[in-house]
């Protein structure tokens, strides 16, 4: 599907990146921890998160993320949007919660950019 | 291919976190480094940058690019790490609320740096600082 479809499915409002809405996507990663995003998100995926700071945009840029979906009805601060314009990362905002957003996309064929984190990477504390 | 640059990072400057990582990515992209390697180097730079901002007074991230490798040297002036083995354990963190608000401090930083690099070395002296040597090999093409 395209980012336009993502927007439609999540009833999302586009905040940055109208020109990039035809970008095709088929994977996503959802997290509120940027360390996990840095470790596991794959290029070309949609990033769903409740974080709104400029670090989300920088993380997305470093990882070549296709678009950021801000969940739970949050609106990012102006500096985040400015940075997204500068680094050409589309941002959209949805009122759905993270679980619901992920589920709706999954139902339409978007899958996780990874399914599991390897067993050897889980270490009991 | 030969390129070197040094990026200063100020401790406590949370707003700026990620800036150096984006600069590193752009520099490597401009030099035509393969996306997969470039990505790993930028991730390591990002985590290193967040570590300096979170824990040290100041630090430097030095980027060196050669035909067959990328090297990132991170050096900070700060509290150092007493127990490196513990600090390398996934999930172990001494992060403050400020760091966590940013979306970091999950105790994955050093682990991430190590797992995305081809060689990783960490040395630290308590009350002086921490040094990371991170290497990414560039395979020969053609």
């Amino acid at each position: 599907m395209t980012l336009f479809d993502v927007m439609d499915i999540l009833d999302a409002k586009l905040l940055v990146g109208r020109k990039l809405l035809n970008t095709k996507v088929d994977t996503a990663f959802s997290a509120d921890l940027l360390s996990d995003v840095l470790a596991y998100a794959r290029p070309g995926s949609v990033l769903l998160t409740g974080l709104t700071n400029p670090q989300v945009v920088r993380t997305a840029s470093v990882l070549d993320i296709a678009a950021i979906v801000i969940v739970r009805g949050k609106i990012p601060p102006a500096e985040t949007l400015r940075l997204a314009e500068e680094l050409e990362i589309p941002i959209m905002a949805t009122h759905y919660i993270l679980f619901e957003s992920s589920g709706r996309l999954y139902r339409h064929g978007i899958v996780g950019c990874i399914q599991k984190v390897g067993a050897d990477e889980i270490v009991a504390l | 291919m030969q390129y070197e640059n040094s990026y200063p990072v100020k401790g406590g400057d949370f707003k700026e976190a990620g800036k150096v990582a984006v600069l590193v990515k752009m520099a490597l992209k401009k030099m035509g480094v393969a996306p997969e390697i470039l990505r790993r180097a930028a991730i390591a730079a990002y985590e290193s940058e967040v570590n300096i901002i979170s824990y040290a007074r100041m630090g430097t991230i030095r980027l060196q690019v050669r035909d067959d490798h990328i090297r990132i040297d991170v050096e900070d002036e700060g509290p150092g790490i007493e127990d490196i083995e513990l600090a390398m354990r996934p999930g172990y963190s001494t992060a403050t609320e400020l760091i966590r608000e940013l979306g970091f401090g999950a105790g994955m930083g050093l682990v991430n740096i190590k797992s995305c690099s081809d060689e990783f070395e960490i040395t630290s002296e308590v009350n002086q600082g921490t040094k990371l040597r991170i290497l990414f090999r560039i395979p020969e093409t053609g």
Side-chain angles (χ1 to χ4, degrees), chain A residues 14-62:
Chain A
L14 187 74
L15 303 175
V16 173
R18 185 157 299 280
K19 275 188 252 164
L20 293 161
L21 283 183
N22 284 324
T23 307
K24 286 216 164 22
V25 289
D26 39 36
T27 58
F29 190 79
S30 303
D32 284 349
L33 267 176
L34 289 179
S35 291
D36 282 354
V37 177
L38 277 173
Y40 306 124
R42 310 301 306 162
S45 298
V46 176
L47 171 63
L48 297 106
T49 184
L51 289 168
T52 60
N53 57 32
Q55 279 68 37
V56 176
V57 178
R58 294 191 180 120
T59 302
S61 166
V62 160

Side-chain angles (χ1 to χ4, degrees), chain A residues 43-119:
Chain A
S45 298
V46 176
L47 171 63
L48 297 106
T49 184
L51 289 168
T52 60
N53 57 32
Q55 279 68 37
V56 176
V57 178
R58 294 191 180 120
T59 302
S61 166
V62 160
L63 297 173
D64 291 320
I65 292 290
I68 300 168
V69 176
I70 310 257
V71 299
R72 302 192 284 271
K74 293 184 183 183
I75 297 295
E79 54 175 327
T80 298
L81 299 178
R82 266 200 306 274
L83 191 65
E85 256 162 47
E86 191 188 316
L87 298 176
E88 297 179 337
I89 312 276
I91 298 193
M92 54 185 91
T94 177
H95 285 272
Y96 288 116
I97 60 170
L98 186 55
F99 180 85
E100 190 68 26
S101 304
S102 307
R104 281 174 188 255
L105 290 183
Y106 197 93
R107 198 166 61 198
H108 284 85
I110 295 275
V111 294
C113 61
I114 60 167
Q115 284 198 339
K116 279 183 178 180
V117 171

Side-chain angles (χ1 to χ4, degrees), chain B residues 92-120:
Chain B
Y92 177 80
S93 176
T94 57
T96 62
E97 199 46 46
L98 259 175
I99 302 166
R100 292 181 200 271
E101 256 171 47
L102 210 63
F104 289 95
M108 291 304 289
L110 289 173
V111 188
N112 279 356
I113 296 172
K114 189 181 176 183
S115 68
C116 68
S117 66
D118 292 312
E119 277 178 42
F120 173 77

Side-chain angles (χ1 to χ4, degrees), chain B residues 2 6 9 15 21 26 30 32 38 44 50 55 61 76 81 83 89 92 113 115 128 130-132 141:
Chain B
Q2 210 163 52
S6 194
V9 181
K15 276 185 83 137
M26 283 172 170
K30 222 170 154 183
L38 175 164
V50 170
Y55 302 110
I61 295 176
D76 72 41
I81 301 169
D83 188 340
R89 203 184 276 184
Y92 177 80
I113 296 172
S115 68
Q128 290 204 15
T130 301
K131 287 182 191 175
L132 307 180
T141 48

Side-chain angles (χ1 to χ4, degrees), chain A residues 2-15:
Chain A
T2 63
L3 291 178
F4 191 83
D5 298 324
V6 172
M7 220 172 98
D8 197 36
I9 291 164
L10 298 179
D11 197 12
K13 187 178 168 200
L14 187 74
L15 303 175

